[in-house]
Amino acid sequence: MRAGIYRLLARLLARPADADLLALVAGLGGDRSEMGQAIAALAAAAAATAPEAVRDEYDEVFIGVGRGLLIPYASYYLTGFLNDKPLARLRIDMERLGIARAENVVEPEDHVAALLEMMAGLIEGGFAVPASDEDQAAFFEAHVVGWMPHFFADLEKLPQARFHGAVGRVGRLFVEIEKAAFEM
C-alpha cells in the first residue's frame, strides 16, 4: 500500500494527469481519518477537473514561462540552486542501491516524482531486492523528509493549484505518516 501511494503521488507530479488517471483517482475512497479525508478531497478534485485544466495548471505551477510557481527539486528546496550538492549525494546513494537513471528522462534525479518513484522501488524491490527497513529509512531521511513536507505544504496552499493542491495535501500527510513510522 505504501508503494502504491508513492507511485500515485509520483505519477501525479511527473506530468499532467490524463483522463484515465483522473478517472482512476476519482474512484478513490477515503475514511474519516485526516488522510482518508485528503484522499476523498483528491478524488473529488479529480472528478471535477478536466484533463485540459490539469494540463494548464501543471504548466503554470511547475513549468511556467521561464520557471513555474514551484520548483519541484530537492536541490532547489534545500539550497536555492538546481543541480547542487543534494543531487550529488542522491546520485551516490542511487549507485549504492543499484538505482539507475531512466534513459528517457531528462529531469535531474532529485525531481519530486523521481524520488517518490525511488521510494516505491525500494519498498517493492524494483531495483534488485526490496530494501531493508533501515535502507528505506536512510533514503527517506536523506532525500525526502528534509524538503518534501515544505514542497507539499507550498503546493497545498498555492491558490493556482486547484487540483494539485489536493495532491499536495495527500503528499504532506503521507510524508508525515512515513516519518512517524520510521521513527518507531
Side-chain angles (χ1 to χ4, degrees), residues 8-15 17 21 25 42 58 163-164 167:
L8 176 63
L9 289 169
R11 176 54 190 90
L12 291 169
L13 294 166
R15 59 191 172 279
L21 183 57
V25 173
L42 175 60
Y58 187 92
F163 171 74
H164 290 92
V167 175

Side-chain angles (χ1 to χ4, degrees), residues 92-172:
I92 291 166
D93 283 347
M94 287 173 64
E95 185 175 332
R96 180 180 57 79
L97 293 166
I99 303 171
R101 177 187 172 107
E103 291 180 25
N104 61 339
V105 176
V106 297
E107 302 287 340
E109 298 91 323
D110 65 340
H111 187 280
V112 63
L115 290 167
L116 293 166
E117 276 288 333
M118 287 180 218
M119 280 299 301
L122 291 172
I123 294 165
E124 295 175 332
F127 307 115
V129 296
S132 68
D133 290 343
E134 293 78 19
D135 281 343
Q136 290 177 42
F139 190 89
F140 181 84
E141 183 67 31
H143 305 293
V144 175
V145 79
W147 75 281
M148 274 194 210
H150 305 289
F151 167 79
F152 283 129
D154 289 347
L155 182 58
E156 182 179 8
K157 67 184 177 191
L158 190 66
Q160 296 89 338
R162 293 162 299 283
F163 171 74
H164 290 92
V167 175
R169 181 175 176 209
V170 170
R172 179 182 56 80

